[in-house]
Amino acid sequence: LKNSLTKQTVEDAVQQYQRDRDPRERLFEFGRCVVHFAVDDSEVRMCTELKGKGSWFLPFNQGYKDGAGNPPNAGSHGGGLKTDYLWREVLTPAGLTNILENYAQIVVEKDPRTGRKKHKQVWPRYHQLRLVRQALADVRAQGAGKRYLIQHSAGSGKSNSIAWLAHQLIGLKRDDKEGFDSVIVVTDRRLLDDQIQTTIKQFM
């Protein structure tokens, strides 16, 4: 956690993780922590595997005006922190257990050329979490039969979003009845198809 009063930003938090947190230390070994957050007054970034200087932090922001970052926060008394959604919405007992049950996982990826298997830890980014939760909430309220358009930019996790939504639609109930008998995913990309199958199978 960093704040503007100490003249530090999320960048300082990321550098601290990369420089001062030894991934060989028991607590920071792969699979010990589900996610690492670097947070300041206006931005949140996340990393699922610490690798020293190679630790890769992705944005965990809400987005603002079709771009990066977070919107201004009026707060209850005005001038609230832009990042308070992290503890008010995501890191609540209900929010956290929902992520641990339905999103967070360790997947095994196989390199098609070498056949070597690699373990990768997955944690949803904010936009993925929001779209799946909004879609599920609307289906609970409206029932099946509506049409939706979900847009993702390149590299923003389309396959995981599809897999998480498909998996949770299967168990969705409305008025104590199953909402869907089956969920069919149609795609024209073989690689994406493999990723979706792998992600869904991990939950089965």
Side-chain angles (χ1 to χ4, degrees):
L1 293 173
K2 302 295 176 187
N3 71 80
S4 55
L5 295 174
T6 59
K7 304 283 192 289
Q8 289 189 306
T9 69
V10 73
E11 278 300 339
D12 295 292
V14 169
Q15 285 174 25
Q16 190 176 358
Y17 259 124
Q18 292 173 333
R19 188 185 59 236
D20 303 336
R21 300 294 179 262
D22 186 350
R24 292 168 301 184
E25 197 174 313
R26 196 81 171 131
L27 175 63
F28 300 123
E29 284 177 1
F30 177 80
R32 294 294 243 173
C33 296
V34 288
V35 67
H36 301 273
F37 283 119
V39 188
D40 68 13
D41 308 40
S42 55
E43 265 201 78
V44 182
R45 294 194 201 163
M46 55 165 259
C47 175
T48 54
E49 184 180 1
L50 295 183
K51 297 178 179 177
K53 287 184 180 176
S55 301
W56 185 250
F57 280 78
L58 290 165
F60 193 82
N61 296 317
Q62 299 175 90
Y64 181 52
K65 291 188 175 177
D66 296 326
N70 286 302
N73 181 358
S76 56
H77 305 292
L81 293 177
K82 289 182 180 179
T83 51
D84 75 355
Y85 63 91
L86 181 64
W87 56 90
R88 290 184 189 280
E89 179 190 327
V90 181
L91 300 180
T92 63
L96 199 50
T97 51
N98 174 257
I99 294 172
L100 293 173
E101 183 181 351
N102 296 302
Y103 300 85
Q105 58 189 151
I106 292 177
V107 295
V108 180
E109 290 181 348
K110 191 174 178 182
D111 190 314
R113 288 170 298 153
T114 63
R116 189 174 291 168
K117 290 181 178 177
K118 181 183 162 195
H119 288 77
K120 183 178 163 190
Q121 193 160 300
V122 181
W123 179 272
R125 289 170 66 185
Y126 186 82
H127 66 276
Q128 295 173 306
L129 206 53
R130 178 171 54 197
L131 91 82
V132 174
R133 286 178 174 175
Q134 283 180 346
L136 291 171
D138 198 78
V139 172
R140 269 192 207 96
Q142 308 285 338
K146 299 287 180 184
R147 292 184 179 192
Y148 306 91
L149 172 66
I150 297 167
Q151 293 177 289
H152 271 36
S153 57
S156 59
K158 287 182 287 294
S159 57
N160 278 343
S161 294
I162 292 167
W164 287 328
L165 182 57
H167 167 69
Q168 290 180 69
L169 283 171
I170 292 289
L172 186 126
K173 290 197 167 156
R174 188 167 185 261
D175 302 327
D176 290 331
K177 291 180 188 164
E178 299 289 335
F180 298 90
D181 296 318
S182 57
V183 174
I184 300 168
V185 177
V186 180
T187 174
D188 63 351
R189 287 173 57 189
R190 191 167 287 163
L191 181 63
L192 190 64
D193 190 48
D194 288 343
Q195 284 178 291
I196 292 166
Q197 284 187 50
T198 303
T199 305
I200 293 176
K201 276 178 187 170
Q202 297 286 334
F203 280 113
M204 295 309 182

